[in-house]
Amino acid sequence: MGKLEAKNVEKFFEHDGKPLKALGGVNLTVEDGEFICVVGPSGCGKSTFLRILAGLEKPDGGEILLDGKKLDDTGPDRIMVFQEGALFPWLTVKDNVEYGLKIAGIPKEERNDISKRYLDMMQLTQFANSYTYQLSTGMKQRVAIARALVMDPDVLLMDEPFAALDTQTRDLLLVEMQLIWQKTKKTIIFVTHNVPEAAVLGSRVAVFSHRPSIVKKILDINYKRPRVSEDENLIEYQQKILSELRPEVGGN
Ligand SMILES: Nc1ncnc2c1ncn2[C@@H]1O[C@H](COP(=O)(O)OP(=O)(O)OP(=O)(O)O)[C@@H](O)[C@H]1O
Ligand SMILES: [Mg+2]
């Protein structure tokens, strides 16, 4: 039994008055403590799939099992980091990061200690008292990641969280993410457009087809960690991912 199992998951949307099948029967088993990346062409349904795993949307067919039980709601065991970090503009960086802890009733001092650690990790300490409109896109995204990590969820659902970051920050976070994962043994499902990023992060990489999407191929990346993006030994893995992905891009 996997930690999370998607069984024949289907999702339709309405487009121009007609049903558009986004997910065409996605099957994927994610093991407890696994770091899996999902790649696929734009618009194939990756974000939709993550939202279904988060319990934010219901599938139209099939089911999701979490620890063997049918999932039908959101829960503190799964935290999503969105493609565009959705932050509260009326709160400071620190208060954004501590928001979930506050809701969970964690005392102020403890909240302070936890947020301090993650603000440090994300190199945001200097901006702890800034408001989000005073931050760059990449900084906002780091706040969103910190906000998810402080909650210490079993499962982290990450939707292209590094897409808006500059290369240096991204490279730092690619290593940091692996260290966090090795330390905490969280189950991480990480969607990305970026093939080198998938090869650095994933223990497995699931390639989605174009719409209606299915898991076309799962590739194992058996290579030592922490990996860095400039490691030439990762190129052969990148090529394997690309050769699966390329025929899907440009599909309808
Ligand atoms: N709320 C919605 N209403 C109607 N159609 C939607 C909705 N959400 C997603 N779709 C459609 O479902 C398909 C999949 O969208 P989704 O955002 O999941 O793709 P994606 O793989 O995450 O793309 P990207 O890589 O560009 O982020 C697209 O065709 C999109 O137009
Ligand atoms: Mg998306």
Side-chain angles (χ1 to χ4, degrees):
M1 182 182 79
K3 175 81 185 164
L4 262 177
E5 285 177 68
K7 293 191 165 177
N8 213 17
V9 169
E10 295 182 321
K11 183 75 187 175
F12 292 87
F13 290 108
E14 200 185 292
H15 180 69
D16 280 346
K18 282 182 255 150
L20 172 131
K21 193 172 193 178
L23 300 178
V26 172
N27 286 296
L28 184 66
T29 299
V30 182
E31 301 300 334
D32 194 18
E34 188 180 8
F35 199 148
I36 188 164
C37 287
V38 170
V39 298
S42 180
C44 76
K46 304 179 295 298
S47 298
T48 303
F49 182 60
L50 274 199
R51 284 200 303 274
I52 290 173
L53 293 180
L56 294 166
E57 266 184 64
K58 302 253 179 283
D60 295 313
E63 60 181 9
I64 306 286
L65 302 180
L66 176 67
D67 295 321
K69 283 189 227 91
K70 189 170 172 175
L71 177 154
D72 61 0
D73 207 353
T74 54
D77 45 4
R78 283 153 291 139
I79 299 270
M80 179 124 165
V81 179
F82 292 93
Q83 210 161 356
E84 288 141 34
L87 301 172
F88 300 123
W90 61 90
L91 295 179
T92 62
V93 165
K94 182 170 182 289
D95 288 344
N96 264 286
V97 170
E98 289 184 16
Y99 182 79
L101 298 171
K102 194 172 176 184
I103 297 293
I106 309 291
K108 192 167 178 197
E109 288 223 336
E110 199 178 326
R111 288 203 311 260
N112 198 50
D113 290 347
I114 300 171
S115 69
K116 190 169 176 297
R117 197 164 85 231
Y118 287 97
L119 286 170
D120 242 19
M121 186 186 288
M122 294 295 153
Q123 296 162 43
L124 288 164
T125 306
Q126 205 189 333
F127 297 90
N129 297 316
S130 302
Y131 286 88
T132 55
Y133 74 88
Q134 296 169 309
L135 307 180
S136 71
T137 312
M139 289 160 84
K140 283 184 206 159
Q141 204 58 25
R142 282 183 276 144
V143 177
I145 296 167
R147 189 178 58 176
L149 290 175
V150 297
M151 296 308 290
D152 198 25
D154 284 356
V155 180
L156 262 173
L157 304 166
M158 307 188 82
D159 193 357
E160 304 203 37
F162 299 165
L165 301 177
D166 63 273
T167 319
Q168 291 93 316
T169 312
R170 180 200 297 244
D171 283 349
L172 264 174
L173 286 181
L174 285 176
V175 173
E176 201 59 62
M177 246 356 267
Q178 294 176 78
L179 297 177
I180 290 168
W181 172 71
Q182 284 179 315
K183 225 181 324 175
T184 59
K185 286 286 163 225
K186 292 195 183 313
T187 308
I188 303 180
I189 305 172
F190 190 107
V191 168
T192 176
H193 267 115
N194 186 310
V195 169
E197 190 170 288
V200 167
L201 291 178
S203 300
R204 291 193 300 158
V205 176
V207 182
F208 274 39
S209 71
H210 63 78
R211 278 195 318 266
S213 60
I214 55 164
V215 176
K216 178 191 176 188
K217 182 89 182 176
I218 296 182
L219 296 156
D220 288 316
I221 313 230
N222 291 316
Y223 190 65
K224 64 179 182 346
R225 291 182 186 271
R227 305 170 188 159
V228 291
S229 42
E230 62 269 22
D231 188 336
E232 288 182 358
N233 293 316
L234 289 172
I235 292 174
E236 67 170 276
Y237 295 103
Q238 293 174 19
Q239 281 168 345
K240 278 187 196 153
I241 302 168
L242 266 175
S243 67
E244 295 295 335
L245 191 56
R246 210 173 274 123
E248 304 306 319
V249 178
N252 57 356

